[in-house]
Amino acid sequence: MLKSLSIAAILVLSVAAGGDLVTAQTGAPKNQSLALTNHSNDATTSRSERSVSPEAKAAARRLYKEGIKYGLAGLFPQAAATFEKVVALDPQFADAYFSLGHAYFDMKRWAEAAKNLDRALELNPKDVEAQDRLSFARTMLQPHGGGTKPIPIQPATTVEPKPIKSEQQPVGSQVSVAAKTPPAPASVENEDVPENKANADEMALTRIYRIGANDVLDVRVTDSTSSQSTLFTVTPSGHLEHPLLPEPMQVGGLTVEEVTSRIESDLKRRALDTSKVTIAVRDYASHAILVSGLVKDAGTKILRREAIPLYVVVADAQPLPEAARVTVMRNEANQLFEVDLTQSSEMNLLVRPGDVVTLHANATQFLYVGGEVKFPGEKTYRRGLTLMQAMIAAGGVVGKPKEARLGRDDGRGFLTVTKFKLKDIESGKVPDPLVRPGDRIMVVK
């Protein structure tokens, strides 16, 4: 793991998603070269020469570098799962154990952090930073150290943040985006809840690929004696033209398995039932997205799935340090999603073919406080700001005001006003409400 990375930056992408994104320029899986400086200078790798095959060692190194690259994206708990795979491939890889312990350290999972940092020190006793972190982790495990029960790693979900309708919300505006979560189950039939079914459907998109226009298919028929090429490009209308087919077959929108079954059925009907058909996608061309903004590697990317998580796209594009938020424009549905890069749950938003992904700096936004406060006027907004905090930012109240009136644009240009009794908020009778950019707060007696 790079020494220069902050604790919060040890986040990586799962191996399964790594092959789902390719560059449009090469049509091959992306394998970005990074300049890495291992924190222990590989002091212990020689100890594994006899026990680890060269292939496993190379795979571990490659995955470790991917972990470093994705860590720079600022994503969160995927780190542990990826580095676990690295140490499984190469049990003598000291830097991988350090990075794995570092990841658990960031999540305050002190037991796992201590275990892996201890292993890193066994392999490289001179690692000072591992010693420091191990000492702290062990302290937190003590009853007086404030340790907490380890937090289990939750599998990534694929629920999408609530979309902003572009006709109601300008592209450049900031809104609070909350992930939709299914309601608590009332019985064991929870799988029948519509939200859960929708989530399952979303997850299925990350495991399939539907053939599209301009994809190149490798179609092989076992008993065919033709010397022609086995590569066929899907037409713009989504048809496959093959010499063994009596007419072009519609394959657009179908999976490889579905197309294979259709061709075999057609050959069987024409007394060619001994034919064995195998089909593979040789060149993925139809599922393009565009990545732009504050990234090192902008441009057109090709998906190898119907959808992949946003964090995969962001990590692959390597966001610049100043990037703080990302917008996903879905032109077909006329939707705009806006996501904070620090919110790992929102980064599970699924990116689909045709989407435009743009990374932005954290633009300064404002709200307005007036009435019975010491310093009325324009105040800087930050995520998570509450009504009472905004009033404190305005210097606090003057006199004994009783009410705060929160005015907010309803998305159609009309102002809606909600009244809050200050004593109810201060007593805890009602929660301190969150404010949004552009809100108008008027404190009155």
Side-chain angles (χ1 to χ4, degrees):
M1 196 66 180
L2 295 183
K3 284 287 193 176
S4 60
L5 290 180
S6 65
I7 294 178
I10 312 179
L11 304 177
V12 295
L13 150 77
S14 64
V15 181
D20 296 342
L21 187 69
V22 299
T23 60
Q25 290 79 5
T26 64
K30 183 176 178 59
N31 185 11
Q32 195 72 358
S33 175
L34 292 180
L36 299 174
T37 304
N38 289 336
H39 87 284
S40 65
N41 295 320
D42 297 328
T44 62
T45 54
S46 61
R47 298 170 55 181
S48 63
E49 293 296 331
R50 292 174 297 177
S51 59
V52 181
S53 68
E55 294 80 7
K57 187 181 292 293
R61 296 285 172 173
R62 183 168 57 255
L63 184 56
Y64 178 75
K65 291 180 180 181
E66 288 296 311
I68 296 298
K69 181 176 73 169
Y70 295 128
L72 295 174
L75 311 172
F76 213 68
Q78 290 83 5
T82 300
F83 285 115
E84 289 280 11
K85 292 181 174 66
V86 176
V87 298
L89 288 168
D90 187 353
Q92 301 296 322
F93 195 166
D95 285 344
Y97 278 105
F98 173 83
S99 299
L100 179 57
H102 203 322
Y104 285 129
F105 188 99
D106 289 341
M107 293 186 284
K108 297 181 174 58
R109 295 178 59 171
W110 308 118
E112 291 96 330
K115 174 185 175 182
N116 289 284
L117 291 169
D118 185 62
R119 176 58 176 160
L121 283 171
E122 288 181 9
L123 297 170
N124 183 18
K126 296 182 180 181
D127 191 336
V128 177
E129 185 173 351
Q131 293 172 0
D132 293 341
R133 292 185 181 278
L134 177 60
S135 177
F136 186 89
R138 286 175 172 170
T139 300
M140 295 303 293
L141 285 171
Q142 300 301 319
H144 64 276
T148 58
K149 183 179 180 180
I151 304 173
I153 293 180
Q154 298 296 330
T157 61
T158 56
V159 294
E160 298 193 359
K162 183 178 181 181
I164 309 164
K165 294 294 184 181
S166 60
E167 64 267 22
Q168 296 180 358
Q169 186 71 36
V171 172
S173 63
Q174 171 78 22
V175 299
S176 176
V177 180
K180 296 184 293 183
T181 55
S187 65
V188 294
E189 288 82 15
N190 189 45
E191 61 270 16
D192 295 330
V193 176
E195 288 86 349
N196 284 350
K197 185 178 185 302
N199 293 343
D201 292 341
E202 293 290 331
M203 179 65 74
L205 294 176
T206 66
R207 298 191 293 266
I208 64 173
Y209 181 85
R210 299 191 182 279
I211 296 168
N214 300 317
D215 285 347
V216 177
L217 304 182
D218 188 350
V219 183
R220 299 174 185 265
V221 182
T222 54
D223 63 354
S224 174
T225 59
S226 174
S227 61
Q228 294 181 354
S229 171
T230 61
L231 301 181
F232 299 87
T233 301
V234 178
T235 68
S237 61
H239 287 82
L240 171 64
E241 298 176 346
H242 192 278
L244 293 180
L245 296 174
E247 60 183 14
M249 176 179 289
Q250 178 67 42
V251 298
L254 303 179
T255 65
V256 167
E257 293 77 13
E258 290 170 336
V259 175
T260 301
S261 177
R262 288 194 178 191
I263 293 180
E264 287 181 341
S265 298
D266 181 81
L267 295 178
K268 185 176 182 179
R269 283 195 303 268
R270 292 186 287 121
L272 297 175
D273 54 344
T274 60
S275 299
K276 176 65 176 176
V277 179
T278 58
I279 300 177
V281 180
R282 177 64 64 87
D283 188 7
Y284 298 82
S286 62
H287 289 33
I289 64 172
L290 178 63
V291 181
S292 63
L294 299 176
V295 295
K296 293 181 180 178
D297 187 14
T300 301
K301 312 290 181 181
I302 302 297
L303 306 185
R304 289 177 174 232
R305 296 290 186 271
E306 287 302 298
I308 62 174
L310 177 59
Y311 69 81
V312 178
V313 177
V314 171
D316 182 85
Q318 302 177 67
L320 298 177
E322 59 268 28
R325 57 191 180 90
V326 57
T327 58
V328 179
M329 175 64 75
R330 187 158 296 157
N331 293 318
E332 290 185 0
N334 198 27
Q335 293 176 326
L336 174 71
F337 301 91
E338 188 161 352
V339 176
D340 190 324
L341 287 177
T342 64
Q343 301 299 310
S344 58
S345 61
E346 296 179 7
M347 292 295 290
N348 288 310
L349 167 71
L350 290 183
V351 176
R352 305 183 185 188
D355 286 355
V356 178
V357 180
T358 308
L359 276 76
H360 310 269
N362 195 11
T364 303
Q365 297 173 303
F366 302 95
L367 51 84
Y368 307 89
V369 184
E372 302 299 316
V373 293
K374 292 182 179 179
F375 307 111
E378 186 179 74
K379 307 300 174 184
T380 302
Y381 170 83
R382 63 166 178 79
R383 190 183 182 93
L385 189 69
T386 67
L387 175 64
M388 298 298 289
Q389 290 171 341
M391 293 166 55
I392 293 172
V397 300
V398 176
K400 297 182 179 180
K402 298 180 180 180
E403 187 177 83
R405 298 174 182 173
L406 179 61
R408 179 170 297 164
D409 191 328
D410 67 354
R412 297 174 296 173
F414 295 97
L415 191 67
T416 59
V417 178
T418 306
K419 298 179 180 180
F420 297 92
K421 292 183 178 180
L422 298 180
K423 66 177 182 180
D424 289 346
I425 298 176
E426 292 170 350
S427 66
K429 185 177 180 180
V430 298
D432 189 5
L434 291 173
V435 297
R436 296 180 183 177
D439 280 354
R440 292 88 152 169
I441 300 169
M442 183 62 65
V443 183
V444 299
K445 292 182 179 180

